[in-house]
Amino acid sequence: MKRFASVLFALALALSATFACAAEFDGALTLMGSSTLGPVISQVAKMLVDEKKTWNAVDPSLPAVPIRIVVAGSGSGEGIKAVVENSANFGLISRPLSEKEKASIDGLKAYLLGTDALTISVNPANEIAKLRDGLSTEELAKIFGGEYATWNDLDAKLPKDPIVAVIRDIGGGAHKVFQDAVLKDKPVRKDAIQAPSMGALVTKIIENKNAIGYASSGISAQNEGKLIPIAVDGVKPTNENINSGSYKISRPLLVLKKGELTAPEKAFVDALLSPAGMKIVSDMGFVPAK
């Protein structure tokens, strides 16, 4: 999935900036931010439209206008910005909120949809997958920090092929999670390929047998067999290990709101957190919050 700043996972037209009363609501809600969360939100929106079609079928107090949901993904940073500036009903982020960010949003409400692990993934043709079940945090830091230039530097049994490290753009939420969990204060290697989306990152791994990257567990699951997730410090990225916290490279999937929910916004949040919404989160390879 490429960055979709201008792409609308649309069942929709435009955003009504405020809702003074139900009669003024034109049926549209807008969500902006994380490209990881975008497809999940779009699937829940499609479910709601297919089942209810108009808002009054969701809540009799709402007008009989078509349900229209706009989802625009351009990264977690844009999700924060959208909430701060009131340019969307909701912001989508796939990383923890900093204390500074929490303080910058009056009346902040954060809804946890699930947890996403950043799986260390390699191409199935990479011999590391046959030689090892996983890598240590220290080894990953040396790979992504540039201390290891070839796979042979990691293990003498491996060929002297160059390591191709693939990361998300350094300003994105995913890389911050990886930086904090693995690299710490060490800068990322200068020749790392910065992918604009998780979909692009996974594609790079699939295309290059020497590539290694941190793929979202959801997208990794959607590409099963095309790449191989490996253990970190002996812990595999299973749902059980992600939920328990024993798999260390993980991040929350959050929907943010500034101020009180309007009736349509509450109806959509309820759909996201419903059993059907949680099933979509699970079906897309993430660990649901409920």
Side-chain angles (χ1 to χ4, degrees):
M1 287 169 285
K2 298 179 180 178
R3 179 172 304 207
F4 48 106
S6 62
V7 177
L8 301 182
F9 288 85
L11 309 163
L13 296 176
L15 169 67
S16 174
T18 58
F19 307 113
C21 64
E24 295 178 0
F25 176 48
D26 70 355
L29 295 178
T30 296
L31 300 93
M32 184 178 295
S34 166
S35 60
T36 297
L37 254 180
V40 175
I41 302 299
S42 295
Q43 284 297 312
V44 176
K46 184 178 185 302
M47 174 190 74
L48 195 63
V49 170
D50 288 347
E51 291 181 358
K52 303 296 185 180
K53 295 182 174 55
T54 59
W55 282 106
N56 65 318
V58 178
D59 182 338
S61 70
L62 296 176
V65 294
I67 299 170
R68 299 178 288 170
I69 311 295
V70 177
V71 185
S74 50
S76 294
E78 289 301 314
I80 297 290
K81 183 179 179 182
V83 175
V84 171
E85 297 180 353
N86 282 319
S87 57
N89 296 84
F90 296 99
L92 308 176
I93 72 167
S94 49
R95 61 167 174 78
L97 277 166
S98 70
E99 292 304 317
K100 182 178 180 180
E101 287 168 338
K102 292 177 183 177
S104 71
I105 305 172
D106 294 331
L108 171 67
K109 292 179 174 59
Y111 303 96
L112 177 66
L113 296 192
T115 304
D116 175 32
L118 296 182
T119 68
I120 304 303
S121 297
V122 296
N123 187 291
N126 192 321
E127 292 183 29
I128 186 68
K130 302 172 185 176
L131 185 66
R132 302 272 202 94
D133 288 332
L135 296 169
S136 68
T137 300
E138 182 181 0
E139 288 171 326
L140 288 173
K142 289 179 178 179
I143 288 171
F144 286 90
E147 188 172 336
Y148 291 158
T150 72
W151 287 104
N152 184 262
D153 293 333
L154 169 66
D155 193 305
K157 296 178 182 178
L158 293 172
K160 294 183 179 181
D161 294 335
I163 292 174
V164 179
V166 190
I167 64 172
R168 277 300 312 273
D169 51 290
I170 290 180
H175 187 70
K176 186 179 188 314
V177 171
F178 184 78
Q179 183 79 39
D180 291 345
V182 175
L183 288 172
K184 308 295 185 184
D185 296 329
K186 182 180 292 187
V188 70
R189 60 192 299 154
K190 293 180 180 179
D191 62 351
I193 297 173
Q194 293 189 46
S197 69
M198 273 297 170
L201 186 152
V202 166
T203 297
K204 290 292 185 183
I205 298 173
I206 293 172
E207 292 176 345
N208 193 322
K209 73 180 184 68
N210 289 315
I212 182 171
Y214 46 80
S216 159
S217 61
I219 297 177
S220 178
Q222 294 162 33
N223 288 275
E224 185 177 359
K226 297 179 182 178
L227 71 169
I228 298 180
I230 59 179
V232 176
D233 295 331
V235 181
K236 294 184 178 181
T238 62
N239 282 9
E240 181 180 359
N241 290 337
I242 294 167
N243 269 331
S244 69
S246 58
Y247 184 81
K248 63 193 295 183
I249 317 174
S250 63
R251 55 182 179 159
L253 303 175
L254 299 168
V255 175
L256 307 181
K257 168 66 183 173
K258 183 178 183 179
E260 296 301 315
L261 293 170
T262 64
E265 290 170 345
K266 182 180 184 303
F268 191 63
V269 169
D270 288 345
L272 289 171
L273 298 177
S274 70
M278 290 294 97
K279 184 177 185 302
I280 288 173
V281 172
S282 178
D283 288 347
M284 298 195 76
F286 304 110
V287 181
K290 296 182 179 179

